[in-house]
Amino acid sequence: QSQQQQSVVVGGVVPRSSAVFRKHVPISNSRRATILFHGQITSSESQLLSTLHSYFSICSAQTTHEAKMILSSNQVDAIITKIGDQISTSGMDLISYYRKKPQSSQTLIILFSQTAVGNCHLQTEYKKNGVHMISDSVDDIVSICIRALKTIGRDPFSVGVTYNCPICSFDGLMEDELCEHVMLYHGGQSNTTDVTCPICDTVCGNSRLPFPVHLHKNHGPVGRSTQNVPRKQHLTIITAIVVCQRKKDGKFLLVDEPALFGWYLPGGRVEWGEGLRTAAVRHAKEATNIDITIQGILHFDYVSGPSKTRQRVFFYANPVDDDVKLKNIPNYQSRGACWVTANEVANIPLRADDPIKWFSYVANGGAIYPPTLLSQHRDEE
């Protein structure tokens, strides 16, 4: 088969038995990454596969048994699966089967599902079993596949210095690519394991700065919002947190945080020279893709300890547009987001109990104080 033929295989698979399927090809970009699509093909799936054909070799399997047969004798670089409506087409069954294979840590797994995008419980269950990304957007899936798999088959001598991921050994990654790879492939893993940064040889882990945080603060694209300030200088930590309620149905916004922390409210640290409200709006946008309007203040708290002081401000907000699509591409800020009711949140794995407390408070008509309480501060003018 020619390379042209290999890149448009549907219903079969290109065997990974030759040198063409090594991560590094020292002569040329002689092969495309291989993606397995699992599930029934309707109009949405046809559009997705048609677009992916332009960049990747595609193999497809409508049943879980067919997909397992392909995976038993071939290595694929990504799996796109659906929930399935019965055991014979179960996406969860396929993921559980594949995650037992040693090579699975280097395989991107995406759940293509409109149902799961709007269901916090389903998102949690699939991500717990190894799904990296959940989306119903063809554009987002194509975009992340291109970004995640572009190094496969690339001539390593054409790009300069590259690194191996110290977690899964995925190789041939430039500095920015390593930063993105770690959050996409390993953002759902705990930070408890000690890891040596391949860029600067710093040992990172649970008792030190976690590896993803180290990458974010010290490497990757210049101009990131997080400032690289030693932790010992962070004597006071100020955090802006958002309780965002959708006007059309009263649902509240939750963020799926990386490293198995659980679901929590949008928010994060206020940076030097940044206003509290500005920080709240920025963090909500980065973690959820939602532009918000601050409507009021719910609560201040202040905790002082021997090594640091923590101040938190809880804002109440509404989306500028109730119908904007939520973020679903995992990165340093979040693994995704979801709208939930005040009654649902108690059954969701949370980072802390604040969502339960404040969703109930707002839903029951609790007092919301005017945002002008902060207007006297120069950085809020």
Side-chain angles (χ1 to χ4, degrees):
Q1 282 186 317
S2 68
Q3 184 175 340
Q4 173 73 19
Q5 290 172 314
Q6 286 185 356
S7 66
V8 193
V9 176
V10 178
V13 65
V14 183
R16 190 171 183 164
S17 57
S18 67
V20 164
F21 278 85
R22 296 187 205 132
K23 282 279 191 296
H24 281 169
V25 182
I27 300 175
S28 66
N29 191 358
S30 57
R31 77 100 170 167
R32 296 179 174 188
T34 300
I35 296 176
L36 168 63
F37 180 85
H38 165 244
Q40 299 293 319
I41 299 177
T42 64
S43 57
S44 296
E45 289 76 15
S46 295
Q47 180 189 359
L48 174 62
L49 291 175
S50 177
T51 307
L52 288 173
H53 276 156
S54 303
Y55 305 96
F56 307 107
S57 297
I58 305 296
C59 51
S60 66
Q62 294 196 7
T63 69
T64 304
H65 175 72
E66 291 172 350
K68 289 179 179 179
M69 291 294 291
I70 292 172
L71 293 172
S72 67
S73 57
N74 299 278
Q75 172 67 38
V76 299
D77 303 293
I79 296 173
I80 301 174
T81 186
K82 299 174 68 177
I83 291 176
D85 55 5
Q86 51 190 330
I87 295 297
S88 64
T89 58
S90 169
M92 182 67 78
D93 184 37
L94 177 65
I95 294 164
S96 299
Y97 163 81
Y98 188 66
R99 277 303 182 200
K100 296 175 183 176
K101 292 180 171 290
Q103 70 269 28
S104 68
S105 63
Q106 294 186 0
T107 303
L108 179 66
I109 299 181
I110 298 172
L111 179 66
F112 185 40
S113 169
Q114 186 176 21
T115 301
V117 165
N119 188 308
C120 193
H121 296 283
L122 277 176
Q123 287 196 39
T124 300
E125 190 66 21
Y126 273 89
K127 289 175 181 177
K128 183 175 68 176
N129 281 277
V131 168
H132 298 114
M133 173 178 167
I134 297 173
S135 179
D136 62 351
S137 167
V138 170
D139 290 341
D140 284 351
I141 292 176
V142 171
S143 171
I144 206 64
C145 285
I146 292 172
R147 285 154 55 185
L149 306 178
K150 65 184 177 182
T151 66
I152 295 173
R154 182 173 66 188
D155 180 357
F157 299 107
S158 68
V159 294
V161 178
T162 60
Y163 305 94
N164 291 2
C165 172
I167 302 172
C168 70
S169 300
F170 195 110
D171 60 358
L173 299 165
M174 293 187 290
E175 184 173 320
D176 292 359
E177 294 167 348
L178 175 63
C179 295
E180 185 171 33
H181 166 88
V182 166
M183 293 313 305
L184 178 61
Y185 282 69
H186 309 297
Q189 299 173 11
S190 171
N191 288 330
T192 57
T193 304
D194 283 350
V195 171
T196 300
C197 175
I199 301 173
C200 66
D201 293 329
T202 297
V203 178
C204 311
N206 190 41
S207 58
R208 309 170 182 86
L209 197 66
F211 181 52
V213 180
H214 168 80
L215 281 178
H216 186 73
K217 287 180 174 289
N218 295 281
H219 304 296
V222 176
R224 282 214 177 101
S225 60
T226 302
Q227 295 136 349
N228 182 23
V229 181
R231 278 189 166 186
K232 63 182 180 181
Q233 295 184 19
H234 280 177
L235 301 177
T236 301
I237 300 171
I238 304 173
T239 306
I241 300 173
V242 180
V243 175
C244 182
Q245 185 178 35
R246 193 161 60 180
K247 296 183 287 289
K248 70 178 184 180
D249 56 12
K251 288 187 175 183
F252 295 91
L253 189 57
L254 282 181
V255 170
D256 185 10
E257 297 200 341
L260 301 179
F261 282 126
W263 294 80
Y264 194 62
L265 303 167
R269 294 186 182 185
V270 180
E271 300 193 6
W272 293 350
E274 185 178 35
L276 284 163
R277 282 179 286 175
T278 302
V281 171
R282 173 177 61 82
H283 280 295
K285 179 67 172 179
E286 290 175 347
T288 71
N289 193 43
I290 298 295
D291 292 306
I292 62 169
T293 301
I294 300 294
Q295 303 291 359
I297 298 168
L298 294 171
H299 178 70
F300 291 85
D301 65 29
Y302 176 94
V303 178
S304 185
S307 60
K308 65 181 178 182
T309 296
R310 185 189 71 182
Q311 300 176 8
R312 299 190 301 173
V313 181
F314 287 78
F315 290 97
Y316 175 73
N318 299 129
V320 173
D321 182 349
D322 280 0
D323 297 318
V324 169
K325 183 180 289 291
L326 290 173
K327 171 184 180 289
N328 55 51
I329 295 179
N331 60 14
Y332 184 81
Q333 280 72 30
S334 76
R335 302 186 70 209
C338 196
W339 293 105
V340 301
T341 66
N343 293 330
E344 283 181 285
V345 71
N347 298 315
I348 293 170
L350 300 172
R351 178 176 183 172
D353 290 338
D354 295 313
I356 297 174
K357 174 182 177 180
W358 293 111
F359 292 178
S360 176
Y361 178 86
V362 171
N364 289 305
I368 299 173
Y369 302 96
T372 51
L373 287 175
L374 298 173
S375 62
Q376 62 182 326
H377 292 267
R378 185 179 64 181
D379 61 3
E380 292 292 333
E381 293 176 352

